[in-house]
Amino acid sequence: MDFKNRSDAGRALAGALAAWRGQPNLLVLGLPRGGVPVASEVASALNAPLDVLVVRKLGHPGQEEFAMGAIASGGVRYLDESTLAWPVPAAEVEAVVRREQAELARRERLYRGERPPLALEDRVLLLVDDGLATGATMRAAVMAVRAGRPQRIVVAVPVASREALQSVGLVADEVVCVFTPEHFRAVGQWYEDFGQTSDEEVCRLLANA
């Protein structure tokens, strides 16, 4: 199963989430950047508000695409020791965290601007990304919003590895995934067009919502 692009994946995911349409306290949160186009389609189909939750992957030194953990708004930090093939010195971990915290702060200013802080208490949250490889970023996202005392946290993605679904399922209340391939290498392999989402597109989608 391949998705044409993130919008196509969002429409497919919205179909899997149709039971939530009309939920009065529903809030769709896209993880930037790639999760926002997916979340935009979900929010539109479910007639729900759309917002953004800024999360940054902590890339393994020397292998930036391989997540060793993640950070999120509100000072949340998650480090998955089980994904480390070899120990990473604490100083190197802190260097990665500092760099990603600076980028997280930049994106918070750019995407949220004058928008008020997220009001999460007693809301049903749909946390949406374009896919899960290790699940580290989404785990940090769940930990970040849990502090806001929502009623329920539902992680929703078009595609994910089985390992990532199991990992995220330990912290989320529910996980919805359209497609879980048996042989998973990367999220992008299941998209015909997996070009990078720009800051401008994220801001446009949020403004339109």
Side-chain angles (χ1 to χ4, degrees):
M1 180 178 183
D2 289 329
F3 302 108
K4 292 180 180 178
N5 50 37
R6 290 181 176 88
S7 294
D8 179 46
R11 289 188 289 271
L13 182 58
L17 295 165
W20 290 106
R21 181 176 174 82
Q23 176 81 21
N25 57 346
L26 189 66
L27 175 62
V28 179
L29 294 176
L31 273 59
R33 289 189 288 238
V36 176
V38 182
S40 176
E41 295 288 346
V42 170
S44 177
L46 300 185
N47 195 28
L50 171 70
D51 213 319
V52 63
L53 177 69
V54 182
V55 184
R56 291 293 296 170
K57 177 177 67 179
L58 299 177
H60 197 292
Q63 290 181 293
E64 297 301 323
E65 291 304 311
F66 185 73
M68 62 177 178
I71 57 174
S73 303
V76 174
R77 173 168 159 175
Y78 168 69
L79 190 64
D80 187 357
E81 299 286 354
S82 68
T83 68
L84 303 182
W86 58 89
V88 179
E92 292 189 31
V93 172
E94 292 304 318
V96 173
V97 170
R98 284 195 301 272
R99 183 180 70 239
E100 296 303 336
Q101 281 178 333
E103 177 62 12
L104 186 147
R106 183 193 73 83
R107 291 192 182 192
E108 283 274 7
R109 291 191 299 270
L110 179 63
Y111 300 155
R112 297 202 59 78
E114 300 301 318
R115 297 157 76 91
L118 291 172
L120 306 179
E121 189 169 2
D122 295 327
R123 304 290 294 269
V124 174
L125 307 180
L126 297 185
L127 299 188
V128 179
D129 205 352
D130 53 16
L132 301 177
T134 68
T137 303
M138 186 60 80
R139 282 183 66 106
V142 173
M143 293 165 63
V145 297
R146 185 72 74 185
R149 296 185 294 179
Q151 180 187 108
R152 188 170 183 82
I153 300 174
V154 181
V155 169
V157 292
V159 62
S161 70
R162 295 179 180 181
E163 295 78 11
L165 287 183
Q166 291 174 354
S167 175
V168 172
L170 296 175
V171 294
D173 298 313
E174 182 180 344
V175 181
V176 176
C177 181
V178 176
F179 179 44
T180 310
E182 184 176 353
H183 302 291
F184 187 101
R185 295 190 304 275
V187 172
Q189 77 181 101
W190 307 104
Y191 285 80
E192 294 176 21
D193 176 8
F194 197 64
Q196 189 175 63
T197 304
S198 67
D199 284 337
E200 290 75 17
E201 183 178 359
V202 171
C203 291
R204 176 180 59 80
L205 291 170
L206 292 171
N208 290 344

